Amino acid sequence: MPEDQPKPTPLLDELETGPWPSFVTEIKRAAENNPASADLLGLLERSYQDRKGHWKHGGIVGVRGYGSGVIGRYNDIPDEFPNVAQFHTLRVNHPSGWFYTSDALRTLADIWERHGSGLTNLHGATGDIILLGARTDQLEATFQDLTAAGFDLGGSGSAMRTPSCCVGQARCEWACFDTMKFCNNLTQAYQDEMHRPPFPYKFKVKASGCPNDCVAAIARADLSIIGIWKDDIRQDDAAVAEYAAAGLDIARDVCARCPGQCMEWTGAHLTIDNRDCKRCMHCINVMPKALRPGVERGAAILIGAKAPIVQGALLSSVLVPFVPEAEIEATVRELLARIWEFWDEYGKNRERIGELIQRVGMAAFLDGIGLEPRPEMVAFPRDNPFVFFQKEDTK
Amino acid sequence: MPEDQPKPTPLLDELETGPWPSFVTEIKRAAENNPASADLLGLLERSYQDRKGHWKHGGIVGVRGYGSGVIGRYNDIPDEFPNVAQFHTLRVNHPSGWFYTSDALRTLADIWERHGSGLTNLHGATGDIILLGARTDQLEATFQDLTAAGFDLGGSGSAMRTPSCCVGQARCEWACFDTMKFCNNLTQAYQDEMHRPPFPYKFKVKASGCPNDCVAAIARADLSIIGIWKDDIRQDDAAVAEYAAAGLDIARDVCARCPGQCMEWTGAHLTIDNRDCKRCMHCINVMPKALRPGVERGAAILIGAKAPIVQGALLSSVLVPFVPEAEIEATVRELLARIWEFWDEYGKNRERIGELIQRVGMAAFLDGIGLEPRPEMVAFPRDNPFVFFQKEDTK
Amino acid sequence: MTRITDIGPPHYEKFLHPLIKRNYGHWLYHETLAPGVLCHVAESGERIYTVRAGSPRLLSVSTIRRFADLADQYSGGYLRFTSRHNIEFLLDNPANIEPLKRALNEAGFPVGGTNNSISNVVHTQGWIHCHSAATDASGIVKALMDRLHPHFTREDLPAKLRVAVACCVNMCGAVHCSDIAILGIHRKPPQIRHDTLRKACEIPTLIASCPTGAIRPAVVDGKRTVDVIEEQCMYCSNCFTVCAAMQMNDPENDGLSIWVGGKVSNARSEPKFSKLAIPFLPNNPPRWPEVVSAVANIVDVYARHARRFERLGEWTERVGWPRFFELTGIPFTRYHIDDFRYAGLSYARSTHMRLRP
Amino acid sequence: MTRITDIGPPHYEKFLHPLIKRNYGHWLYHETLAPGVLCHVAESGERIYTVRAGSPRLLSVSTIRRFADLADQYSGGYLRFTSRHNIEFLLDNPANIEPLKRALNEAGFPVGGTNNSISNVVHTQGWIHCHSAATDASGIVKALMDRLHPHFTREDLPAKLRVAVACCVNMCGAVHCSDIAILGIHRKPPQIRHDTLRKACEIPTLIASCPTGAIRPAVVDGKRTVDVIEEQCMYCSNCFTVCAAMQMNDPENDGLSIWVGGKVSNARSEPKFSKLAIPFLPNNPPRWPEVVSAVANIVDVYARHARRFERLGEWTERVGWPRFFELTGIPFTRYHIDDFRYAGLSYARSTHMRLRP
Ligand code: SRM
Ligand code: SRM
Ligand code: SRM
Ligand code: SRM
Ligand code: SF4
Ligand code: SF4
Ligand code: SF4
Ligand code: SF4
Ligand code: SF4
Ligand code: SF4
Ligand code: SF4
Ligand code: SF4
């Protein structure tokens, strides 16, 4: 229950001014009829005073039968802020593409008002609906209300994490495959791996419909599926001329920026040597009415991105240069099985797949999962002369 | 003494055919009146048959008072090839820029005919005159004849190695400093360091007059001195027009290849935004009559190149972005003193300076030699978030 | 009632606008009608209008309901969130665009974030929820966007500019590949709570957790515990992740570092990591003025100097990092020189230099 | 007679052509009169002519005397050698150019090597003199240049093409930064001569010499010696450098690898290391036909496909390495993927791909 007189929060109040929408206002709104949110406000004000956090390690809390989906959290001055003594978050799997109806949102709001702080993140950095702060005894009830409403928890811990995808074919002309269908199917296929952590560490999958990579798959997914096309860029000369007429400096702003160095603008006509095109999207981005990806579409599969802890950040690197649209899902599932088997066998505890590949070497990894080496997998061939030759290749 | 009947060398004879000048012919010429060269031919034929070398580790041989300049060499079948049982090479310091008169060459030829195999390398990969193969008892005599003729030995072992330089101002319009004078002065200044190995490992200095780097200083010198200019490229518009008239595609072959992206050719006039020029030399290389380096000349000093053994090859990296021409020699000598002191204190046995810098970190190295960090030293600032803060910067 | 499990998320089709369903996979091109307002044209000729608004991401249920109401009123109840936490209303009727924009602005949610703007700031939990946070995240975002929001509501930058905040080096979010990233950092080795360590943590696991081998066994007051070799500690907090007795928080020494020039897209150049611009700024709530003005300065310099369609990192690569430091006035220090695994590759291994500042 | 020491090399000024001395530091520009023939014009208007010829580098004193005679006859006795071991005669009289060229050609020394040609092959000792050699150097160079010499005497390539040979991974010469490098390699761990090891080598030094920690102490026939963990050996030969009992030579398994795309100059692109093209070719004296045709094939493909002023490595970077492997027909194998310190940075970390072969 809220105290009669809310504690003053002068530092946070300062953050209610200014043009950008204020998270402090959000907390206050929730605090109007939620004691946990009120205490959160107080605790946060304390952090602002002390310039340090007041949360402790979370213990293992969760819902029955699941090993993930809940992040436990306790504060370190529970006597002063008893209503956030337990303040666990639930990660609720978002619908692919983050589409909602107003009703769906209201359903979520109602459930969360009943059981938790009334505060959410829409969305977490992995993509989940974050229900921000509940007491231990509310977790199971929240979960049951959620599943009854058709929602389920996402991943946490050493599990398959909630896959995410860009808006794709739902509202983007460039999507080279159906990212949302892919994402949803994958999510459904790996419910067990998401809810009962089976891996050495977390595993994330993200899908972007084209190389613009609007879900940052290459930077933050262990498996990054990125749409791409194989044939020629579709070109509408009349529309090109329109852009030129409208003042676009095609030579400077398009051709000169083409990393494939394969475009030429005569002042009247644009030619693309598609063989040298790197499928970077730039020319298409600048002239969406005039240029479109080709029709032979599919995706590239890349592996291994992660944040820096502790061996340095990694970007995903090419594993399969091109899979036709129709085969993406089957290929990914087949690959995942082999990758996880390899990881299970050779991965150390808390070792992401990208780190494992760095440790054992890409070639050994490819052997392990049964893929042939391809030059598209490297930015350049090795420059170090210390080659470990295999016994079968020598006499 | 040569045997009456020279042993047949069918494999090597094969290499006397064809248009390229033959080293086998050279050995045979020497062998005409030199038993060592005759045995070298036989031993080499044996290597060609066996597909392996027949040289053993060299022991410590040399001339009195010097710890370097001679590479000891023995063969592993001395009974069969007694005249190359000892076959040591002398490394003779070449004159800067590899300039000779015919007389100087004859003097060297005479000395070497007297004392050695009559075979040479003009020149070794470090730049020395290589006198290829002498018996131990001839080393001192050769040395004395050489010094009497004004020549001296170069470096070997854990010593300052024979510095080398490009032809520079002797015959190149682009030389931004006097590489030959610099090289000669440096060589004279460090005779002791060259002849009596004082270091943890070898140390090489090479000087190129401009960024074309015609002695490959950046790839194979521990200290690489590379000429560069600070002000604007000198431009002769009439000569530019001549090149254009002669058919040079200035837009495609010059401007589009400019890494500074700072050139524009209107079809009639060339403009260079010199502020963005990376001093790469390309435009000057292509139009030597029209473009020349500026007049504010000097050199960049780079550090640390080496071959791959055993931690991987290194290219030199920027230590001092620009030293005016007049200060190059003094700056280099001052730097060398500090670098060698640091290396002496922290370097491990057989650790090149570049490896040491990698091991302790560039920042620690700069502290050690008393240089301020500058952004020109890095291709890009760090991307890893694990910064070791120094005590004095924290509370 | 049987307990329902493993049903996964609701199928997205249930939430798609009928116009989207009809034209799914058949979009032709798009146009920007105004900052924050996109129009996607389908092969059928149908058009869907998107109105995008900034969100604090941390939303109360009452604000969620407000969004739901707005959707009912203007977009047939259809809306979505973006990968950068903006909210998007999906309209089939262009007449609703202006009223919706007005309503959003009145409710305090600025419309914008499209094309060459600063979109929403990807950020993390900070002091709101995470035990690991070296700083807050939401507060920094609020203070920063109060200053930068004109770049959200106008498309006035050379290219997209993606800003991100992470409250510790775990870097939840794509902070390591952002045009500008603000990162919470520690600068002191852990303070060890010897009293609780024995009970709370396994010493061998703890020792193994340190990537630099800075932790070693020790005996304090006759009890087995650990100590930390200070010079070897890079403040990564990994020991704290496995053992709560390794306290990292330190109000004086915790703070922020600023990283620039990263990107994710493959457009033009390859994806890039962000590089260090400012090694340390103090943790100064509630408005982190040092951080805000440092970032605003970088944005200004970039806006003034970069060419069209040139992301921040593409600009710095073209003009060179020395120019970046010169133009922003940020001092270049020893901390900018990498000393990690790949350090050698970050040294300048050519004479490609712009020598006139 | 007192013993003379530490006098250093003769001063170069003694060897400079008077015309060069007069115009030292005052050159204006240069022109190419023909392949191998340069004309440098001084500010004074004076001209020095250079005639460059290929040399086998390994020279007998009689050939040296021959060069001296040619110099006396045509260039006032002035000549020099280049950093790639060519010989250059320095003429003040253009009338001597043709006679000198004829004389050189008659003597078997081809004139050329300038501009966009293949200049002389930088190489090392090989079986001529080095204990460390996995192959010969001079023989490969001779066989190769017999095939490639038209590219020496004509300037018919898109840009300079620098070829180098090193007979072992010590890589004497700038082999690691060559357009095409031929490298002698071992492919088997050292064979240990246990009988001589004890006498000849210090075991701790030997163990410490191995960069991968593959060498460990062992006892054979009751004597202290070492053994090698085969899987950990990368055949670097460093152990052999410190201990002759670690024999690396193996006629069946020693051989050549081919590396491409390196460069030294800062022209256009930054200096680059050479990258692996062919992991292994057999050691096949006297003419190494596999090596010669592999290199000739790469040169042909490069000559046909690169743009003007595009070095081999610049071309592969523009068109992509997959195209290189496709056009040359060289198979891409597991060995092409790096597994050393910086391996991760060589993986393709973008979707920039040319998908149609
Ligand atoms: C909630 C969330 C941040 C947010 O505010 O959105 C989050 C919060 C935490 N992350 Fe994260 N991570 C979140 C997305 C990410 C991302 C981004 C992504 O998934 O796209 C990353 C970078 C990508 C990656 O996985 O590498 C990320 C990289 C990490 C790491 C570093 C992992 C690594 O291998 O480098 C850790 C540390 C760890 O695992 O021990 C971590 C750990 C944590 C923990 C569990 C703290 C801890 O040390 O145990 C945080 C719990 C905070 C709390 O109290 O709620 N979090 N974390 C995001 C998950 C929400 C969701 O489910 O939608
Ligand atoms: C003679 C010469 C090759 C040639 O045919 O021209 C040569 C020959 C040898 N080099 Fe070298 N190096 C020669 C220039 C180089 C260069 C090129 C340069 O100096 O520009 C390099 C690459 C640059 C560098 O220094 O990194 C070079 C890198 C090595 C290395 C690897 C060093 C490293 O740190 O990576 C070794 C191995 C060692 O030092 O143990 C080595 C070792 C050797 C030894 C001494 C063999 C050994 O293991 O002890 C060779 C003696 C051969 C012999 O029997 O004569 N040599 N060596 C060159 C010296 C001639 C001269 O003085 O002019
Ligand atoms: C809605 C969203 C996808 C989603 O499923 O949620 C989206 C949607 C579009 N993106 Fe994106 N992108 C979205 C996140 C991203 C991200 C991810 C991120 O920022 O974390 C990236 C990678 C950013 C990076 O490189 O760091 C991204 C890189 C792009 C690019 C490449 C920009 C570049 O030049 O580097 C384009 C092309 C363009 O804008 O010209 C693009 C283009 C587009 C287009 C024009 C595609 C289309 O035809 O519909 C969409 C509207 C663009 C706009 O906002 O101006 N989108 N886009 C995301 C909106 C985020 C937001 O609220 O601001
Ligand atoms: C004579 C020599 C210097 C010396 O002191 O010995 C020299 C002399 C000249 N070089 Fe060089 N370079 C010489 C070795 C080099 C090297 C070193 C090497 O090959 O080991 C390089 C670096 C090669 C590399 O990048 O791998 C070198 C890279 C250049 C370049 C840049 C080429 C490029 O586009 O990358 C130029 C400019 C040009 O040719 O357009 C150049 C230009 C020149 C010019 C035109 C300079 C001038 O104005 O006089 C000279 C005649 C060029 C020619 O041969 O076509 N020189 N030049 C060397 C002749 C070697 C030989 O016999 O072939
Ligand atoms: S990643 Fe490509 S397909 Fe997906 S939303 Fe972005 S631009 Fe469209
Ligand atoms: S997609 Fe990129 S690489 Fe391809 S033509 Fe367009 S700009 Fe060039
Ligand atoms: S390095 Fe420069 S100055 Fe020296 S010879 Fe080559 S082009 Fe001329
Ligand atoms: S020297 Fe190089 S960078 Fe400078 S203008 Fe010429 S081509 Fe451009
Ligand atoms: S970045 Fe660090 S502090 Fe912030 S939410 Fe992630 S783990 Fe917690
Ligand atoms: S903070 Fe990181 S480096 Fe420091 S002791 Fe802990 S684990 Fe080791
Ligand atoms: S490359 Fe190796 S084998 Fe050849 S000379 Fe140098 S050290 Fe000897
Ligand atoms: S060859 Fe190299 S890796 Fe192999 S045992 Fe010897 S030192 Fe070690």
Side-chain angles (χ1 to χ4, degrees), chain C residues 50-353:
Chain C
T50 301
V51 175
R52 180 184 294 176
S55 147
R57 187 177 87 126
L58 197 166
L59 297 175
S60 63
V61 291
S62 51
T63 296
I64 292 176
R65 290 187 184 118
R66 192 155 187 178
F67 287 148
D69 294 344
L70 287 172
D72 283 343
Q73 210 171 339
Y74 299 106
S75 64
Y78 294 98
L79 76 179
R80 72 180 288 269
F81 293 82
T82 71
S83 62
R84 296 191 77 85
H85 317 309
N86 285 314
I87 182 160
E88 290 185 336
F89 296 86
L90 299 152
L91 291 65
D92 52 14
N93 181 0
N96 279 338
I97 295 174
E98 285 309 315
L100 172 58
K101 281 173 71 174
R102 264 197 308 279
L104 282 166
N105 280 325
E106 270 160 31
F109 298 98
V111 172
T114 45
N115 293 308
N116 297 342
S117 65
I118 296 184
S119 184
N120 213 337
V121 177
V122 162
H123 63 282
T124 46
Q125 295 300 328
W127 292 334
I128 297 279
H129 201 267
C130 194
H131 65 136
S132 188
T135 185
D136 192 31
S138 313
I140 296 178
V141 171
K142 164 70 177 148
L144 187 68
M145 286 309 283
D146 278 346
R147 170 78 168 262
L148 295 179
H149 87 285
H151 294 300
F152 181 89
T153 54
R154 291 180 225 145
E155 297 174 343
D156 59 358
L157 291 172
K160 282 186 167 32
L161 192 122
R162 302 305 208 201
V163 184
V165 174
C167 23
C168 85
V169 284
N170 281 343
M171 288 204 194
C172 305
V175 166
H176 57 308
C177 294
S178 301
D179 294 284
I180 302 182
I182 301 167
L183 177 66
I185 53 166
H186 304 291
R187 293 190 304 160
K188 285 284 178 183
Q191 289 146 29
I192 306 165
R193 303 215 170 138
H194 296 293
D195 45 337
T196 60
L197 191 138
R198 270 299 294 289
K199 297 193 294 276
C201 317
E202 270 192 36
I203 290 181
T205 313
L206 174 56
I207 289 174
S209 76
C210 178
T212 67
I215 305 177
R216 54 186 179 189
V219 175
V220 171
D221 296 337
K223 280 184 201 132
R224 285 183 52 232
T225 174
V226 299
D227 68 8
V228 170
I229 308 164
E230 299 217 354
E231 299 66 43
Q232 245 163 277
C233 176
M234 60 185 193
Y235 335 113
C236 71
S237 225
N238 209 41
C239 52
F240 173 69
T241 300
V242 306
C243 170
M246 308 295 281
Q247 279 296 318
M248 298 296 304
N249 287 348
D250 174 342
E252 292 311 312
N253 288 300
D254 292 350
L256 294 310
S257 53
I258 311 289
W259 305 73
V260 301
K263 75 189 275 277
V264 164
S265 81
N266 290 278
R268 300 167 307 282
S269 58
E270 302 192 346
K272 300 181 208 299
F273 290 128
S274 313
K275 317 290 191 300
L276 181 63
I278 305 178
F280 181 76
L281 291 171
N283 221 348
N284 205 352
R287 284 212 163 260
W288 285 269
E290 299 85 356
V291 172
V292 170
S293 59
V295 172
N297 174 42
I298 294 168
V299 173
D300 280 359
V301 168
Y302 161 70
R304 267 183 295 138
H305 290 89
R307 293 184 183 163
R308 210 175 162 201
F309 299 119
E310 202 169 48
R311 295 278 296 264
L312 201 154
E314 293 169 329
W315 166 65
T316 52
E317 277 180 14
R318 180 173 58 78
V319 302
W321 285 98
R323 186 78 48 88
F324 170 84
F325 287 97
E326 181 214 332
L327 290 171
T328 55
I330 297 170
F332 184 85
T333 69
R334 66 197 316 288
Y335 300 127
H336 291 90
I337 307 179
D338 197 8
D339 48 13
F340 204 49
R341 289 171 77 186
Y342 299 139
L345 298 185
S346 76
Y347 302 165
R349 304 183 304 164
S350 82
T351 63
H352 281 195
M353 285 185 293

Side-chain angles (χ1 to χ4, degrees), chain C residues 6-52:
Chain C
D6 299 291
I7 56 168
H11 198 285
Y12 55 88
E13 273 191 0
K14 292 198 275 183
F15 302 146
L16 295 183
H17 194 295
L19 194 154
I20 287 187
K21 252 194 222 164
R22 283 198 298 276
N23 296 286
Y24 196 97
H26 293 282
W27 299 100
L28 197 57
Y29 68 93
H30 75 277
E31 288 173 330
T32 305
L33 304 185
V37 185
L38 302 171
C39 164
H40 284 79
V41 183
E43 288 164 1
S44 67
E46 286 195 293
R47 287 159 190 260
I48 189 92
Y49 301 91
T50 301
V51 175
R52 180 184 294 176

Side-chain angles (χ1 to χ4, degrees), chain A residues 211 218 226 228-232 259-261 274-280 300 302 315-318 321-322 357-358 361-364 366-367 373-391 393-395, chain D residues 169 171 183 185-188 212 230-236 252-253 259 273-276 279-280 307 317-319 321-323 325-326 332-340 344-357:
Chain A
I218 204 168
I226 300 179
I228 198 162
W229 68 98
K230 212 168 178 173
D231 52 345
D232 289 359
Q261 295 177 42
N274 275 278
R275 213 183 133 102
D276 274 340
C277 166
K278 288 185 166 180
R279 278 92 184 140
C280 86
L302 299 91
L315 288 162
S316 283
S317 69
V318 176
F322 185 79
I357 294 172
Q358 298 247 319
M362 178 65 84
L366 294 175
D367 288 350
R374 295 194 45 173
E376 287 83 0
M377 293 172 178
V378 296
F380 46 85
R382 69 161 64 223
D383 58 24
N384 103 71
F386 305 120
V387 181
F388 291 91
F389 283 92
Q390 294 190 296
K391 278 230 172 75
D393 290 340
T394 55
K395 278 164 202 159
Chain D
V169 283
M171 288 203 195
L183 177 65
I185 53 166
H186 304 290
R187 293 190 304 162
K188 285 284 176 182
T212 66
E230 300 219 351
E231 297 67 42
Q232 245 163 277
C233 177
M234 59 184 193
Y235 336 113
C236 73
E252 293 311 313
N253 289 300
W259 304 73
F273 291 127
S274 313
K275 317 293 190 298
L276 181 63
F280 182 76
R307 293 184 183 164
E317 277 180 15
R318 180 174 57 78
V319 302
W321 285 97
R323 186 78 49 88
F325 286 97
E326 180 214 331
F332 184 86
T333 69
R334 65 198 316 284
Y335 300 126
H336 290 91
I337 307 179
D338 197 8
D339 47 14
F340 205 47
L345 298 185
S346 75
Y347 303 164
R349 304 183 304 164
S350 81
T351 62
H352 280 197
M353 285 186 292
R354 273 109 173 178
L355 288 173
R356 276 188 325 175

Side-chain angles (χ1 to χ4, degrees), chain B residues 190-384:
Chain B
Y190 297 112
Q191 287 293 302
D192 198 38
E193 286 79 0
M194 278 178 66
H195 295 143
R196 289 154 209 99
F199 301 137
Y201 205 8
K202 57 186 83 168
F203 195 95
K204 298 181 179 175
V205 182
K206 297 189 203 284
S208 283
C210 82
N212 281 331
D213 196 359
C214 294
V215 287
I218 204 168
R220 42 187 193 155
D222 298 276
L223 204 71
S224 318
I225 321 295
I226 300 180
I228 196 162
W229 68 97
K230 212 168 179 170
D231 53 344
D232 288 359
I233 290 174
R234 285 178 286 172
Q235 184 172 336
D236 176 340
D237 286 329
V240 173
E242 266 178 53
Y243 280 105
L248 179 69
D249 187 338
I250 295 181
R252 194 193 58 192
D253 291 339
V254 184
C255 303
R257 299 209 162 281
C258 165
Q261 295 177 39
C262 62
M263 307 187 77
E264 211 176 337
W265 170 244
T266 62
H269 193 74
L270 180 72
T271 37
I272 303 178
D273 180 353
N274 275 277
R275 214 185 131 103
D276 274 340
C277 165
K278 288 185 166 180
R279 278 93 183 139
C280 87
M281 291 296 297
H282 176 68
C283 59
I284 300 174
N285 290 343
V286 175
M287 302 193 284
K289 240 173 138 161
L291 302 176
R292 302 169 73 192
V295 292
E296 200 181 336
R297 295 169 169 218
I301 303 176
L302 298 92
I303 190 159
K306 64 175 298 296
I309 289 283
V310 289
Q311 299 294 331
L314 299 173
L315 288 162
S316 283
S317 70
V318 176
L319 189 63
V320 183
F322 184 79
V323 196
E325 198 172 353
E327 299 163 26
I328 296 173
E329 196 184 317
T331 306
V332 167
R333 294 184 60 169
E334 169 68 29
L335 273 175
L336 280 179
R338 294 196 243 159
I339 290 165
W340 288 342
E341 199 182 324
F342 186 86
W343 193 28
D344 188 42
E345 185 157 0
Y346 300 102
K348 293 197 269 192
N349 184 35
R350 296 191 73 219
E351 184 176 46
R352 298 281 285 262
I353 190 71
E355 291 169 320
L356 171 60
I357 294 171
Q358 299 246 319
R359 180 164 61 81
V360 302
M362 178 65 85
F365 173 70
L366 293 175
D367 287 350
I369 64 164
L371 274 192
E372 286 297 312
R374 294 192 47 171
E376 287 83 0
M377 293 171 177
V378 297
F380 46 86
R382 69 160 65 225
D383 58 24
N384 103 71

Side-chain angles (χ1 to χ4, degrees), chain A residues 208-268:
Chain A
S208 282
C210 82
N212 282 330
D213 196 359
C214 294
V215 287
I218 204 168
R220 42 186 192 155
D222 298 275
L223 204 71
S224 318
I225 321 295
I226 300 179
I228 198 162
W229 68 98
K230 212 168 178 173
D231 52 345
D232 289 359
I233 289 174
R234 284 177 286 172
Q235 183 172 338
D236 174 340
D237 285 329
V240 173
E242 264 178 54
Y243 279 105
L248 179 68
D249 186 337
I250 295 180
R252 195 193 58 192
D253 291 339
V254 185
C255 303
R257 301 211 162 279
C258 164
Q261 295 177 42
C262 61
M263 307 186 78
E264 212 176 340
W265 169 242
T266 62

